[in-house]
C-alpha cells in the first residue's frame, strides 16, 4: 500500500516479543570457537540490546539512509549491530571478517560509510584473527584516500573476561586457551569501546519507520569486471521473501532449532541466520568456529548439544567432512535432525548421497537451494517431504518464481534443454540496484536478454522438468561456495612488480569444488621461483583475502590470445587440466605458446 510504513527490526524483535509473546524464547544459542564457550540470548534480551545500541548509533549521528560498515566475528553483537542499523533505517554493509584490510577499505569507500563496527580479535579454529589491526589498516587507507571515517566502535571480544559480569557474553566460562595479549592501537576521538558506549545508552528506542522500498542493506559480491558490486536490498520485499522462504523451505515449526552454518558476512547468513529465522520467531544456533576444530565431529556434537532439527550448510563443508569417513558423524546421535539443506554451489551426487545416507541416516529430506546474493532468498528448491528429490538437482522454482532456459539467441527453450538460466518475472526479494551505479545493475542483469533477469549460471532441465545448475557461464569462479571474479584476482596479481600479465581460470578441486589456477607472464629481468609464488599468494591474501589464495601459479612466457588480443581462457582451462582436446584453436594468434604451456604445467599443488 502506498504510503504505508514498516521496519524490519520491529518485525523481527518487537513484534515477536510483544505480539507473539515470545520474549522469553531463545533467539540464539551462541557456540564459540571453543566448545566450552557458550551463551544464549532471548528475543527480549536481544530487543533490549538492539535498542541500546541503536541509541548509541543515533548519538554518534547515524540517521536514516546513512551507511554503516560492520566487520565482525560470528557473535551475538554482530546480530545486534545489524539490527540496530535496520532499526534506524541506516544501511548496514557487512564485510566478511575473512576479507583483507584492502577489501574493507574498498567497500567503505564505495558506500561512503561514516562509521565502522568491529572487534578486537577472535579465533577461527587455531587461527587468531587480529581484526582491529586490519580495521585500523583499512581506516588508514581510507584516510589516505581522503575519506576519514569518523567513528569506529570496537567490541572487546577476545579479552571479554576483563569486562566482568556486566556483559552477557562474559557469563560464559573464560576461554580455555591462553588469551594472547593482542596489542590494540587506539585512535583517540575515533575509536570507542562498545561496552563503554552502551553503558550510558537507554534501552528503549523508537524504530525509524520506513517505506517498503527504502534500502535495508548493501552486501558486496564479486563482479565480472573485478570491482565488487554493492547489492542493495530493500526493507519490505526482502523481509517478506526471507520470512516466507525460511518458513516453507525449512518447514518451520515453533519448536525447531535451526542451524545455518554460514557466516553472517555472506547473504546466506543475512537471510537465514538473522532475518528469515527471526521473522518467524525461530531459535537458531550461531556458531563462531569451523567444522574441523577441535575435531572433525564438531558439527555433529553441536547438533546433539542443541538438538538441532534443521541444518543448512554448503557442499564444500560436506565434501571436507566426507574425507574423514562416517565414524565422526555416527558417533553422535543426530536423532533430532529432520531437514538438511545445502547452498552455495552445485552439490555433486556423491556428496549428496553421503549427506543423505550418513548425516541424515536416510530419514531427512535434503533441500538443495539455488539462489544468489542478488535474489535475497531461495529461487529453485525442493520443499522438504513434498518434492521427490534427485541428488544434485535444485528441483523446482519456489512459489512465484518463473525460471526459463534461453539459448544464445535469447529464445526460450521448452522441455528437456540446456542453456542460460534466467527469471521471467520479478519476485519480492530481488535486489533493487547496485549501490551508486544503477546503470551497472541494468547492464549486468538485464542487458544480455532484455526482459529477463540473467543469473549468470548455466542450467539443464531434464525430461521430468527438474532444474540442474551446471555452474557459472561468465568469468566467475565458485571457490568453496564463494564467488570470485577472475578479473579481481588478475588485477591483484599484476599489481606485483614482477608480473606483466596474468590470466586466472577455474580448476576442479575435490573439496573446494573449484580452485584458482593462475598463469603469470613475468616482466623482463625477473625469474619464476617459489619465493615469487609465495609473494604472489601473499599479495592476493592482502588485496582480497585468504579465500582467494590460488592453488596453482604457473609461469607463462606467453598466453594464448586471439588476433584481437583477447586471452583464450577456454584453452587455458584445458591446459590446466592437461586436456589436449582443445577444440577449434584456429583463432589463436601464436599456437606455439600452447605447447609451451602444456610442458610447463604445475603438477603439484603449491
Ligand atoms: O553459481 C550459483 C551458485 O552460487 C552463485 C551465487 O553466489 P552468491 O551470490 O555468493 O550466493 C551464494 C549463496 C546464495 C550462483 O549464481 N549457487 C548457489 N546455490 C547453488 C549454486 N549452484 C548450484 N546449486 C546451488 N544450490
Amino acid at each position: 500500500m502506498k504510503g504505508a510504513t514498516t521496519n524490519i527490526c520491529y518485525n523481527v524483535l518487537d513484534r515477536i516479543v510483544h505480539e507473539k509473546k515470545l520474549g522469553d524464547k531463545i533467539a540464539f544459542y551462541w557456540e564459540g570457537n571453543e566448545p566450552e564457550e557458550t551463551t544464549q540470548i532471548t528475543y527480549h534480551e536481544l530487543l533490549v540490546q538492539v535498542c541500546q545500541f541503536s541509541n548509541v548509533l543515533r548519538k554518534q549521528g547515524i540517521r536514516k539512509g546513512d551507511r554503516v560498515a560492520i566487520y565482525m566475528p560470528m557473535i551475538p553483537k554482530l546480530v545486534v549491530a545489524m539490527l540496530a542499523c535496520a532499526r534506524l533505517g541506516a544501511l548496514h554493509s557487512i564485510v566478511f571478517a575473512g576479507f583483507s584490510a584492502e577489501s574493507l577499505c574498498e567497500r567503505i569507500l564505495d558506500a561512503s560509510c561514516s562509521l565502522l563496527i568491529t572487534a578486537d580479535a577472535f579465533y577461527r579454529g587455531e587461527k587468531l584473527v587480529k581484526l582491529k589491526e586490519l580495521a585500523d589498516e583499512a581506516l588508514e587507507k581510507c584516510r589516505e584516500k581522503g575519506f576519514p571515517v569518523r567513528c569506529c566502535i570496537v567490541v572487546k571480544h577476545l579479552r571479554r573476561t576483563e569486562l566482568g559480569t556486566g556483559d552477557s557474553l562474559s557469563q560464559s566460562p573464560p576461554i580455555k586457551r591462553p588469551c594472547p595479549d593482542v596489542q590494540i592501537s587506539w585512535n583517540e576521538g575515533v575509536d570507542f569501546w562498545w561496552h563503554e558506549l552502551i553503558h550510558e545508552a537507554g534501552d528503549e528506542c523508537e524504530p525509524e519507520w520506513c517505506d517498503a522500498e527504502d534500502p535495508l542493506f548493501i552486501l558486496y559480491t564479486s563482479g565480472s569486471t573485478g570491482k565488487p558490486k554493492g547489492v542493495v536490498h530493500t526493507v519490505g520485499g526482502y523481509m517478506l521473501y526471507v520470512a516466507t522462504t525460511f518458513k516453507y523451505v525449512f518447514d518451520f515449526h515453533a519448536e525447531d532449532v535451526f542451524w545455518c552454518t554460514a557466516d553472517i558476512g555472506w547473504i546466506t547468513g543475512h537471510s537465514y541466520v538473522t532475518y528469515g529465522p527471526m521473522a518467524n520467531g525461530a531459535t537458531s544456533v550461531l556458531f563462531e568456529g569451523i567444522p574441523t576444530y577441535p575435531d572433525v565431529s564438531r558439527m555433529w556434537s553441536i547438533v546433539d548439544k542443541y538438538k538441532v532439527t534443521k541444518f543448512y550448510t554448503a557442499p564444500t563443508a560436506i565434501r571436507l567432512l566426507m574425507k574423514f569417513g562416517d565414524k565422526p558423524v555416527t558417533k553422535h546421535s543426530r536423532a533430532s535432525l529432520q531437514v538438511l539443506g545445502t547452498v552455495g554451489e552445485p552439490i555433486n551426487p556423491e556428496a549428496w548421497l553421503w549427506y543423505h545416507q550418513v548425516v541424515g541416516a536416510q530419514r531427512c529430506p535434503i533441500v538443495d537451494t539455488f539462489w544468489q546474493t542478488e535474489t535475497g532468498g531461495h529461487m529453485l528448491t525442493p520443499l522438504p517431504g513434498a518434492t521427490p528429490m534427485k541428488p544434485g538437482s535444485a528441483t523446482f522454482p519456489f512459489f512465484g518464481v518463473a525460471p526459463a532456459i534461453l539459448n544464445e539467441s535469447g529464445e526460450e527453450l521448452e522441455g528437456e534443454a540446456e542453456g542460460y538460466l534466467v527469471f521471467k518475472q520479478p519476485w519480492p526479494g530481488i535486489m533493487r540496484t547496485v549501490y551508486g551505479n544503477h546503470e551497472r545493475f541494468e547492464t549486468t542483469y538485464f542487458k544480455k536478454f532484455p526482459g529477463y533477469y540473467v543469473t549468470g549460471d548455466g542450467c539443464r532441465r531434464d525430461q521430468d522438468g527438474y532444474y540442474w545448475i551446471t555452474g557459472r557461464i561468465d568469468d566467475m569462479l565458485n571457490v568453496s561456495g564463494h564467488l570470485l571474479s577472475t578479473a579481481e584476482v588478475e588485477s591483484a596479481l599484476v599489481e606485483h612488480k614482477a608480473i606483466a600479465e596474468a590470466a586466472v581460470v577455474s580448476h576442479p578441486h575435490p573439496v573446494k569444488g573449484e580452485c584458482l589456477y593462475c598463469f603469470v607472464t613475468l616482466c623482463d629481468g625477473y625469474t619464476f621461483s617459489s619465493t615469487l609464488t609465495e609473494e604472489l599468494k601473499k599479495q592476493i591474501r592482502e588485496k582480497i583475502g585468504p579465500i582467494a589464495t590460488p592453488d596453482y601459479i604457473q609461469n607463462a612466457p606467453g598466453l594464448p590470445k586471439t588476433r584481437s588480443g583477447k586471452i583464450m581462457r577456454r584453452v587455458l582451462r584445458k591446459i590446466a587440466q592437461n586436456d589436449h582436446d582443445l577444440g577449434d584453436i584456429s583463432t589463436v594468434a601464436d599456437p606455439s605458446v600452447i605447447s609451451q604451456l602444456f610442458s610447463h604445467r604445475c603438477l603439484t599443488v603449491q
Side-chain angles (χ1 to χ4, degrees):
M1 192 175 73
K2 210 155 178 67
T5 56
T6 188
N7 180 287
I8 194 167
C9 176
Y10 172 86
N11 272 283
V12 304
L13 282 175
D14 309 56
R15 187 180 59 90
I16 302 295
V17 172
H18 300 305
E19 273 177 42
K20 302 278 173 196
K21 309 274 180 248
L22 293 174
D24 294 332
K25 187 169 177 180
I26 291 168
F28 291 101
Y29 288 112
W30 181 72
E31 167 100 358
N33 188 55
E34 304 294 324
E36 301 78 20
E37 297 166 16
T38 59
T39 191
Q40 55 195 44
I41 184 162
T42 65
Y43 274 91
H44 177 257
E45 287 166 338
L46 207 46
L47 174 59
V48 172
Q49 290 197 23
V50 168
C51 285
Q52 288 176 332
F53 195 64
S54 304
N55 286 327
V56 166
L57 291 179
R58 216 171 237 165
K59 205 164 168 194
Q60 293 298 326
I62 297 300
R63 297 286 177 269
K64 190 171 174 182
D66 288 350
R67 280 81 53 214
V68 174
I70 301 180
Y71 188 54
M72 286 173 78
M74 281 286 279
I75 56 176
K77 286 192 174 68
L78 169 52
V79 178
V80 172
M82 68 196 291
L83 292 179
C85 292
R87 195 169 189 85
L88 299 182
L91 287 71
H92 54 72
S93 168
I94 305 184
V95 180
F96 171 55
F99 274 122
S100 65
E102 178 112 6
S103 297
L104 174 61
C105 162
E106 188 179 15
R107 285 157 176 73
I108 291 175
L109 293 178
D110 187 74
S112 23
C113 298
S114 44
L115 189 144
L116 170 68
I117 309 166
T118 188
D120 52 355
F122 67 101
Y123 273 103
R124 259 179 75 81
E126 303 275 354
K127 196 172 159 225
L128 176 66
V129 182
K130 297 181 189 168
L131 210 57
K132 174 66 164 65
E133 205 173 285
L134 293 166
D136 282 346
E137 224 180 283
L139 294 189
E140 183 52 39
K141 284 179 199 292
C142 289
R143 261 189 294 276
E144 279 165 17
K145 298 196 169 154
F147 187 82
V149 173
R150 58 184 155 76
C151 173
C152 174
I153 301 179
V154 188
V155 174
K156 194 174 255 197
H157 174 59
L158 189 73
R159 305 190 69 84
R160 60 191 177 276
T161 44
E162 291 168 4
L163 299 177
T165 51
D167 187 84
S168 66
L169 264 187
S170 59
Q171 287 161 11
S172 60
I175 311 177
K176 262 196 166 170
R177 62 163 67 244
C179 191
D181 186 17
V182 178
Q183 292 302 324
I184 288 199
S185 60
W186 207 249
N187 294 320
E188 279 312 322
V190 174
D191 292 344
F192 300 91
W193 284 115
W194 174 300
H195 60 272
E196 288 179 7
L197 295 178
I198 210 94
H199 201 60
E200 303 149 14
D203 52 16
E204 274 178 31
C205 176
E206 176 68 11
E208 195 67 44
W209 299 107
C210 301
D211 188 273
E213 285 299 292
D214 278 346
L216 170 63
F217 65 79
I218 306 172
L219 181 59
Y220 286 84
T221 184
S222 294
S224 54
T225 58
K227 187 174 156 38
K229 301 180 288 252
V231 169
V232 176
H233 282 287
T234 50
V235 176
Y238 177 83
M239 173 163 69
L240 173 75
Y241 202 62
V242 295
T244 313
T245 48
F246 175 79
K247 178 171 170 182
Y248 290 102
V249 173
F250 297 111
D251 185 28
F252 172 64
H253 285 81
E255 61 284 1
D256 274 335
V257 177
F258 180 70
W259 183 18
C260 166
T261 66
D263 194 287
I264 290 178
W266 306 105
I267 190 69
T268 308
H270 280 59
S271 301
Y272 301 109
V273 176
T274 305
Y275 290 114
M278 290 190 67
N280 285 276
T283 296
S284 291
V285 173
L286 182 67
F287 177 43
E288 187 189 25
I290 55 169
T292 49
Y293 178 83
D295 59 55
V296 294
S297 65
R298 183 75 187 272
M299 302 281 234
W300 324 117
S301 85
I302 296 176
V303 165
D304 280 0
K305 187 167 175 182
Y306 302 107
K307 304 274 178 294
V308 171
T309 54
K310 316 277 163 78
F311 177 73
Y312 192 31
T313 197
T316 185
I318 299 164
R319 288 192 298 264
L320 170 72
L321 296 176
M322 225 172 111
K323 281 199 318 191
F324 300 99
D326 302 358
K327 198 72 203 296
V329 185
T330 53
K331 75 179 201 195
H332 293 280
S333 140
R334 301 152 4 263
S336 56
L337 286 176
Q338 294 169 10
V339 176
L340 302 174
T342 75
V343 59
E345 51 181 318
I347 179 163
N348 46 315
E350 198 194 348
W352 192 101
L353 288 169
W354 187 80
Y355 199 30
H356 187 249
Q357 287 164 359
V358 181
V359 176
Q362 303 202 42
R363 300 180 289 106
C364 308
I366 293 185
V367 287
D368 174 355
T369 61
F370 166 84
W371 58 294
Q372 306 176 300
T373 306
E374 295 87 337
T375 69
H378 304 142
M379 297 299 282
L380 302 177
T381 175
L383 295 179
T387 311
M389 303 176 290
K390 290 193 185 189
S393 166
T395 74
F396 302 115
F398 186 72
F399 311 142
V401 171
I405 298 182
L406 304 186
N407 64 14
E408 191 60 51
S409 346
E411 290 151 354
E412 276 188 39
L413 305 174
E414 301 298 330
E416 242 180 291
E418 185 164 348
Y420 294 89
L421 176 66
V422 298
F423 294 110
K424 297 203 267 189
Q425 64 187 35
W427 57 99
I430 186 174
M431 71 183 284
R432 299 301 198 268
T433 190
V434 169
Y435 189 82
N437 196 345
H438 196 70
E439 200 187 323
R440 189 171 179 202
F441 172 57
E442 290 178 352
T443 36
T444 309
Y445 304 100
F446 303 101
K447 196 167 162 206
K448 188 171 171 69
F449 300 120
Y452 298 95
Y453 166 89
V454 179
T455 59
D457 284 292
C459 183
R460 182 168 69 77
R461 190 170 43 221
D462 70 15
Q463 69 278 17
D464 303 319
Y466 280 66
Y467 288 88
W468 301 73
I469 304 297
T470 52
R472 300 292 305 188
I473 39 183
D474 47 14
D475 289 334
M476 308 286 265
L477 305 98
N478 193 324
V479 179
S480 302
H482 302 311
L483 278 193
L484 291 169
S485 77
T486 51
E488 68 184 317
V489 182
E490 286 162 7
S491 71
L493 285 166
V494 295
E495 277 184 42
H496 190 285
K497 59 181 184 314
I499 305 302
E501 194 168 26
V504 174
V505 295
S506 163
H507 190 64
H509 187 282
V511 172
K512 300 181 196 176
E514 295 175 36
C515 67
L516 296 155
Y517 195 117
C518 310
F519 294 86
V520 290
T521 308
L522 304 191
C523 298
D524 280 350
Y526 288 92
T527 42
F528 193 78
S529 67
S530 56
T531 323
L532 176 65
T533 56
E534 279 316 307
E535 272 176 42
L536 293 173
K537 284 184 191 175
K538 184 162 168 273
Q539 167 125 341
I540 291 173
R541 277 195 290 269
E542 280 169 9
K543 299 265 165 215
I544 306 171
I547 47 165
T549 310
D551 281 44
Y552 303 90
I553 301 178
Q554 175 175 341
N555 185 13
L559 288 167
K561 291 183 185 169
T562 59
R563 283 184 187 88
S564 60
K566 205 169 179 303
I567 294 173
M568 299 180 76
R569 290 167 204 287
R570 178 180 63 77
V571 173
L572 290 175
R573 268 194 292 274
K574 296 263 183 172
I575 294 170
Q577 292 185 44
N578 203 20
D579 179 352
H580 288 258
D581 183 10
L582 298 176
D584 179 13
I585 51 164
S586 57
T587 52
V588 181
D590 175 8
S592 72
V593 300
I594 296 179
S595 46
Q596 189 182 35
L597 289 177
F598 266 118
S599 58
H600 284 88
R601 277 181 60 253
C602 295
L603 297 177
T604 51
V605 176
Q606 290 172 342

